[in-house]
Amino acid sequence: MTGQPQAPQADAPEAESGLMVRAEQVHKSFGSLEVLKGVDLEVRSGEVCCLLGPSGSGKSTFLRCINHLEKINAGRIWVDGELIGYRQRGDKLYEMREKEVAAQRRAIGMVFQRFNLFPHKTALDNVTEAPLLVRREKRSEARDRAVALLERVGLGDKLHNYPSQLSGGQQQRVAIARALAMRPKLMLFDEPTSALDPELVGEVLDVMKDLARDGMTMIVVTHEIGFAREVGDSLVFMDDGVVVEQGNPREVIANPQQDRTRSFLAKVL
């Protein structure tokens, strides 16, 4: 499928109390390759939703569709009751201008596999950059919040270090602080520990657990089964562009109902 996404008949969820994310029949293709084949998902405010599945199942693509880094071919996605990337008139959807999409993205923090830090800026400068340029905050206010966030992720003594002077785990914690600096209502994590040495994974997961305890709504693409079991409120197993199974993480991990889920967990547990 290509072109403008089709507008389903369902009403917008603007009155649905407590629903932070709603995805409805989301399709995404790259040329002739159909990566998402009708994904439905709901995440309530304050929940941690973990997305599991083999490589190529569409997890990361779906995450990027939530903040319109990838444009969907069909379906709709709402964040906090607001349709993402499109404006609906009658039964048709029209893509928003990039400036309008950028305004929506301010409320959605994203942390990638690779840290994507500015190599020529210190940890402190990396965290203050977006609040200064995008939110137009006062420099003193942005700096104070950046210091507090870096202290929160355990890097209060690394404010003036450059990325090359930090370990991978420390760089990823700076990336989390940078996303939080924009005061997001939703955090997306795309395999945030996959590029780290095993001994550095725990320090990043500890920061994410702390965010979960504070009630941050999070969607996490991960292979960390222990994190999903301990912290997740819901677990979604994807394969071949569709949701195969979803439910309480502890129940799905202990007693998967679908053969494909069972086969995947048998290889990773």
Side-chain angles (χ1 to χ4, degrees), residues 24 28 79 95 111 123 125 129 178 191 197 241 259 262:
E24 183 181 87
K28 173 63 184 178
V79 173
E95 189 170 1
V111 177
D125 289 339
E129 181 86 357
R178 179 182 59 184
E191 298 193 36
D197 292 334
D259 289 343
R262 229 177 342 257

Side-chain angles (χ1 to χ4, degrees), residues 1-2 23-41 51-52 54 56-77 221 236-244:
M1 286 181 299
T2 58
E24 183 181 87
Q25 283 299 294
V26 173
H27 290 253
K28 173 63 184 178
S29 297
F30 296 98
S32 61
L33 178 63
E34 192 176 10
V35 177
L36 300 177
K37 304 175 182 178
V39 174
D40 294 309
L41 182 73
L51 300 185
L52 266 63
S57 59
K59 309 179 304 295
S60 294
T61 296
F62 175 66
L63 208 67
R64 292 169 66 86
C65 288
I66 293 175
N67 64 0
H68 208 62
L69 285 176
E70 296 291 353
K71 300 175 184 179
I72 63 177
N73 299 116
R76 291 192 289 187
I77 299 173
V221 172
V236 175
F237 176 71
M238 290 181 63
D239 189 29
D240 196 27
V242 299
V243 173
V244 175

Side-chain angles (χ1 to χ4, degrees), residues 16 22 46 77 88 110 130 136 139 154 158 178 203 217:
E16 292 186 50
R22 176 178 167 190
I77 299 173
Q88 184 164 349
M110 189 160 185
R136 305 293 183 187
R139 182 167 294 277
K158 304 290 185 183
R178 179 182 59 184
E203 62 190 52
T217 309

Side-chain angles (χ1 to χ4, degrees), residues 65-129:
C65 288
I66 293 175
N67 64 0
H68 208 62
L69 285 176
E70 296 291 353
K71 300 175 184 179
I72 63 177
N73 299 116
R76 291 192 289 187
I77 299 173
W78 295 270
V79 173
D80 202 19
E82 185 175 1
L83 187 62
I84 296 297
Y86 299 93
R87 182 175 289 103
Q88 184 164 349
R89 294 177 189 152
D91 61 352
K92 291 188 177 181
L93 296 180
Y94 298 89
E95 189 170 1
M96 289 179 173
R97 295 186 303 241
E98 183 56 36
K99 186 176 181 180
E100 296 172 301
V101 175
Q104 289 185 322
R105 286 197 191 114
R106 293 177 198 169
I108 306 172
M110 189 160 185
V111 177
F112 301 88
Q113 295 179 37
R114 296 291 173 179
F115 324 120
N116 296 339
L117 299 176
F118 295 115
H120 61 291
K121 292 182 179 291
T122 64
L124 183 61
D125 289 339
N126 265 281
V127 178
T128 56
E129 181 86 357

Side-chain angles (χ1 to χ4, degrees), residues 183-203:
R183 308 175 191 270
K185 61 178 73 171
L186 169 68
M187 285 285 286
L188 308 176
F189 292 86
D190 187 7
E191 298 193 36
T193 60
S194 66
L196 301 179
D197 292 334
E199 65 267 24
L200 302 178
V201 167
E203 62 190 52

